[in-house]
């Protein structure tokens, strides 16, 4: 008898469940013979496709949160010296375990060394180096401008840590998407509970075993486990929650957070569109789109999900893509060392169903191998909005092209759907570009390239609507985990009290008029051109002096 089971389950929140991105957070019971076992669907799916029992997390969730809370309440995490020590230790972890990180990513996703280093290891190191360098500046109290009524007072915004924050990572970039927000949380002075994805088994093991060796394990607590443990974890009270994953599970995390009015950042996903017009260099455009799509074989939240273009551009794009893909991956892409693999068989089956449903629309690729969890980079043409490929975020190496007539139709198509995490526009037409910027909404935009906006640390990264809320990267990560505490500092100076005493009873019209005059907004002329005026005046004066001196000298001669 085949011991593998096909089980259909209908459950409602707050139990976590499967989604198109591979998040799974439900626990079910199944009777096998005379025994009852608990099956955690995502964590229990093995490479062979069988379902196994979930291994419970080694840490009690309530105890882990209490441990972190105690560290924060004792003031362990607030001193800048502690923060800097932790960040430097984390950098040492990256540098001393570079190969171990590359190996873990290869085990989980068959990630090439180049992609592992560029997209995760060095990405983390560079972000951390910037955080260490800027930490003293970031933590300084801010002093905003103040009105006339507060001229004698001190107006300050203090950068306070929230307290105990929870960071839940994702399996597609299992190191970067967990450790980068964790870095910002530490820099901001929080105690942190980190929950790596159990789906990326090797990276989960690396984090669980390595992080406590370098960081203060009282204030940075690693918890492991599957969906059952995550559900238990979300029952605890946190001061901030940072979640990366799918929209469906994001809703459940958000629901859990609202019970304690906990603020959240949700980094989700969606179907990120690409528009191409006939003004672009089609070969360069193909390279940039295909690279963004096929890194990590499309298992990237900001991967181009589908293309909108005319049939004329579609034909040119397909021809250019055939040449580019052959150049990159050879005659048989399955043998290329530069192509990752699908994370597990459940995801492979989901993607296979899209291909099987679109056999008549495959223009490039289309091959797959279940045993190897391999799906060839594939381009679909003449795709209809009702096709299976357009139902949900693809999250794999399949790129549909939906023909449209013009930019107006493309904008309408995008606006009829949920707001994407990112919109990609390829055009040299400034008016068309302006229309996309002004008339579409997305978490971010990248013009004439894909994915590369992630490398600009001064650009906050985040979604909008169904693609998420909140943002991070660079200083935005620090700000995400920082409460901006506004503070007005009054003094007891006689002049200030004399002016302010008009607010006290007994009231009168004269007092009211005086207070209104103090509070009236006054907009003084902008001083931004003052340095230029000073420089001009100095230059003019110097020139006049030189001319006068020359005149006097010539008269003496």
């Amino acid at each position: 008898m085949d011991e593998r089971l096909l089980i259909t389950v209908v459950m409602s929140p707050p139990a976590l469940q499967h989604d198109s991105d591979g998040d799974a957070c439900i626990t079910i019971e199944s009777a096998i013979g005379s025994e009852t076992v608990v099956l955690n669907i995502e964590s229990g799916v093995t490479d062979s496709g069988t379902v196994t029992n979930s291994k419970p997390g080694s840490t009690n969730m309530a105890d882990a949160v209490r441990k972190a809370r105690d560290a924060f309440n004792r003031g362990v995490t607030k001193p800048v010296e502690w923060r800097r020590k932790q960040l430097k230790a984390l950098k040492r972890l990256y540098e001393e375990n570079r190969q171990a990180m590359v190996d873990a990513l290869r085990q989980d996703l068959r990630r090439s060394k180049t992609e592992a280093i560029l997209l995760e290891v060095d990405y983390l190191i560079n972000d951390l180096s910037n955080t260490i360098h800027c930490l003293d500046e970031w933590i300084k109290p801010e002093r905003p401008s103040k009105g006339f009524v507060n001229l004698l007072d001190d107006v300050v915004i203090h950068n306070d840590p929230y307290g105990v924050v929870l960071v839940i990572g994702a399996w597609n970039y299992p190191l970067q998407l967990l450790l980068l927000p964790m870095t910002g949380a530490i820099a901001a002075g929080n105690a942190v509970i980190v929950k790596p994805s159990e789906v990326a088994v090797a990276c989960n093991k690396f984090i669980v075993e390595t992080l406590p060796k370098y960081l203060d394990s009282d204030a940075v607590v690693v918890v492991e486990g599957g969906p059952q443990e995550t559900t238990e974890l979300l029952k605890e009270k946190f001061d901030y929650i940072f979640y990366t994953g799918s929209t469906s599970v994001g809703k459940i995390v958000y629901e859990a957070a609202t019970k304690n009015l906990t603020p959240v950042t949700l980094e989700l996903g969606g179907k990120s569109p690409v528009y191409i017009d006939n003004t672009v260099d089609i070969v360069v455009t193909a390279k940039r789109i295909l690279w963004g799509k096929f890194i990590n074989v499309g298992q990237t939240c900001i991967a181009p999900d589908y293309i909108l273009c005319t049939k004329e551009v579609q034909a040119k794009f397909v021809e250019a893509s055939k040449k580019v893909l052959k150049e990159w991956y050879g005659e048989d892409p399955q043998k290329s060392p530069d192509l990752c693999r699908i994370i597990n068989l459940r995801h492979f089956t989901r993607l296979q169903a899209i291909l099987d449903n679109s056999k008549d629309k495959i223009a490039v690729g289309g091959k797959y191998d279940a045993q190897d969890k391999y799906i060839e980079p594939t381009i679909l043409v003449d795709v209809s909005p009702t096709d299976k490929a357009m139902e949900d975020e693809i999250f794999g190496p399949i790129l549909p092209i939906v023909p449209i007539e013009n930019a107006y139709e493309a904008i309408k198509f995008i606006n009829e759907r949920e707001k994407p995490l990112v919109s990609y526009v390829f055009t040299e037409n400034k008016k068309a570009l302006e229309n996309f910027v002004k008339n579409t909404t997305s978490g971010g935009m990248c013009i004439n390239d894909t994915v590369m906006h992630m490398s600009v640390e001064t650009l906050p990264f985040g979604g909008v609507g169904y693609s998420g809320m909140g943002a991070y990267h660079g200083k935005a990560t620090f700000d995400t985990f920082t409460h901006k505490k506004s503070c007005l500092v009054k003094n007891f100076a006689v002049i200030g009290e004399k002016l302010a005493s008009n607010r006290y009873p007994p009231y009168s019209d004269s007092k009211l008029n005086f207070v209104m005059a103090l509070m009236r907004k006054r907009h003084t002329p902008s001083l931004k051109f003052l340095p230029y005026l000073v420089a001009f005046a100095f230059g003019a004066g110097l020139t006049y002096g030189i001319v006068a001196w020359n005149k006097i000298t010539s008269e003496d001669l």
Side-chain angles (χ1 to χ4, degrees):
M1 175 182 173
D2 191 343
E3 294 179 355
R4 291 176 292 179
L5 300 177
L6 177 62
I7 306 172
T8 303
V9 182
V10 179
M11 298 187 71
S12 359
L16 304 179
Q17 48 197 321
H18 283 314
D19 54 44
S20 62
D21 289 352
D23 296 295
C25 296
I26 66 171
T27 301
I28 63 173
E29 291 187 354
S30 172
I32 302 179
S34 59
E35 298 181 3
T36 299
V37 298
V38 177
L39 305 179
N40 286 310
I41 296 298
E42 180 56 66
S43 60
V45 179
T46 67
D47 287 345
S48 64
T50 58
V51 181
T52 61
N53 291 345
S54 170
K55 177 184 177 182
S58 58
T59 305
N60 179 278
M61 300 304 165
D63 289 345
V65 176
R66 277 194 292 270
K67 182 179 181 182
R69 180 79 60 191
D70 179 65
F72 181 79
N73 289 341
R74 286 187 286 111
V76 170
T77 65
K78 293 183 180 180
V80 66
E81 295 81 9
W82 180 89
R83 308 184 200 185
R84 186 177 291 107
K85 181 180 178 181
Q86 299 305 305
L87 296 176
K88 288 183 176 179
L90 186 60
K91 188 175 182 182
R92 195 170 69 252
L93 181 156
Y94 296 156
E95 292 170 345
E96 293 176 357
N97 295 276
R98 178 187 291 262
Q99 189 57 49
M101 295 167 77
V102 170
D103 291 343
L105 289 165
R106 186 161 190 83
Q107 288 180 52
D108 285 333
L109 294 154
R110 222 200 78 164
R111 184 84 59 81
S112 69
K113 179 181 178 181
T114 297
E115 288 190 12
I117 290 177
L118 291 181
L119 303 178
E120 303 229 32
V121 182
D122 268 26
Y123 193 91
L124 287 167
I125 291 174
N126 291 334
D127 174 82
L128 181 54
S129 297
N130 179 64
T131 300
I132 293 172
H133 176 74
C134 298
L135 183 60
D136 288 336
E137 184 64 29
W138 291 351
I139 65 175
K140 285 180 181 177
E142 303 166 27
R143 283 181 163 74
S145 59
K146 52 188 177 183
F148 183 76
V149 70
N150 296 119
L151 202 59
L152 302 178
D153 307 321
D154 196 10
V155 177
V156 189
I157 300 174
H158 293 283
N159 292 308
D160 277 8
Y162 274 103
V164 177
V165 305
L166 169 63
V167 178
I168 304 176
W171 59 260
N172 57 326
Y173 290 86
L175 300 179
Q176 182 214 128
L177 296 179
L178 180 81
L179 299 177
L180 194 148
M182 182 198 74
T183 299
I186 293 172
N190 297 281
V192 192
I193 304 289
V194 289
K195 167 61 179 68
S197 170
E198 76 284 356
V199 181
V201 178
C203 288
N204 177 83
K205 181 181 179 183
F206 171 82
I207 291 166
V208 169
E209 293 181 353
T210 310
L211 215 58
K213 296 178 182 178
Y214 289 83
L215 301 185
D216 184 342
S217 58
D218 286 337
V220 182
V221 183
V222 183
V223 297
E224 61 175 326
Q228 182 177 347
E229 289 75 31
T230 304
T231 301
E232 290 301 313
L233 185 61
L234 287 171
K235 293 177 182 178
E236 299 299 321
K237 186 182 187 312
F238 294 96
D239 299 299
Y240 202 98
I241 297 176
F242 190 105
Y243 167 77
T244 303
S246 69
T247 299
S248 57
V249 177
K251 290 179 182 179
I252 296 168
V253 173
Y254 197 18
E255 181 183 351
T258 59
K259 293 177 181 178
N260 292 305
L261 297 180
T262 302
V264 300
T265 290
L266 302 176
E267 294 297 340
L268 309 177
K271 296 185 74 65
S272 295
V274 183
Y275 170 74
I276 314 172
D277 70 11
N278 59 5
T279 66
V280 301
D281 182 322
I282 199 66
V283 175
V284 174
T285 295
K287 287 181 177 179
R288 293 177 179 180
I289 292 174
L290 297 178
W291 179 79
K293 178 63 176 180
F294 297 130
I295 52 172
N296 205 29
V297 289
Q299 298 172 123
T300 304
C301 62
I302 55 170
D305 193 89
Y306 63 95
I307 292 175
L308 298 169
C309 65
T310 64
K311 288 206 172 188
E312 177 188 1
V313 172
Q314 174 182 264
K316 293 178 180 178
F317 180 83
V318 169
E319 286 307 306
S321 296
K322 288 177 180 178
K323 295 176 183 178
V324 170
L325 292 174
K326 183 177 179 181
E327 176 188 336
W328 287 356
Y329 304 122
E331 292 287 351
D332 185 357
Q334 189 170 3
K335 295 179 180 177
S336 170
D338 299 324
L339 269 178
C340 296
R341 292 298 186 264
I342 307 304
I343 186 71
N344 58 33
L345 272 178
R346 189 175 64 80
H347 276 289
F348 176 89
T349 303
R350 177 180 60 81
L351 294 166
Q352 179 187 341
I354 295 175
L355 288 178
D356 290 345
N357 189 260
S358 309
K359 288 181 179 179
D360 58 330
K361 298 183 178 181
I362 296 173
V364 179
K367 297 178 182 177
Y368 51 78
D369 181 345
Q371 187 173 359
D372 191 25
K373 291 177 292 183
Y374 163 78
I375 291 181
E376 185 178 9
T378 301
I379 299 175
L380 308 178
V381 296
D382 298 328
V383 173
S384 165
T386 58
D387 286 353
K388 190 173 182 62
M390 295 302 294
E391 289 178 357
D392 298 302
E393 183 178 7
I394 292 175
F395 225 66
I398 303 169
L399 182 59
I401 303 179
V402 180
I404 44 89
E405 293 297 327
N406 49 46
Y408 172 79
E409 188 179 334
I411 291 172
K412 183 173 181 289
F413 188 95
I414 293 168
N415 288 338
E416 288 173 344
R417 287 152 180 81
E418 297 292 351
K419 297 170 184 177
L421 185 55
V422 57
S423 292
Y424 297 113
V425 179
F426 284 79
T427 182
E428 294 275 30
N429 186 320
K430 292 183 178 179
K431 186 175 180 180
L433 175 58
E434 184 179 354
N435 282 334
F436 273 93
V437 173
K438 287 185 176 180
N439 298 315
T440 63
T441 301
S442 55
M445 291 191 77
C446 187
I447 313 303
N448 295 329
D449 208 337
T450 63
V451 178
M452 292 304 294
H453 60 295
M454 289 277 289
S455 66
V456 185
E457 64 191 24
T458 52
L459 288 177
F461 171 76
V464 59
Y466 265 54
S467 59
M469 62 180 70
Y472 72 126
H473 286 187
K475 187 176 184 295
T477 313
F478 175 87
D479 289 338
T480 286
F481 292 102
T482 299
H483 167 60
K484 301 292 183 178
K485 184 170 69 179
S486 300
C487 185
L488 172 64
V489 183
K490 303 282 287 187
N491 58 48
F492 290 97
V494 175
I495 295 177
E497 178 58 20
K498 181 64 178 175
L499 294 174
S501 64
N502 287 279
R503 62 182 166 156
Y504 302 143
Y507 300 131
S508 67
D509 286 346
S510 61
K511 285 185 176 182
L512 175 61
N513 291 334
F514 185 81
V515 173
M516 288 172 63
L518 283 179
M519 297 180 66
R520 187 173 297 120
K521 296 298 178 184
R522 295 169 176 81
H523 301 286
T524 57
S526 173
L527 300 179
K528 66 179 181 179
F529 296 112
L530 183 61
Y532 301 101
L533 293 174
V534 171
F536 175 78
F538 178 77
L542 184 62
T543 302
Y544 177 80
I546 293 172
V547 171
W549 174 260
N550 288 337
K551 185 176 180 181
I552 294 171
T553 304
S554 62
E555 288 176 354
D556 290 342
L557 293 175

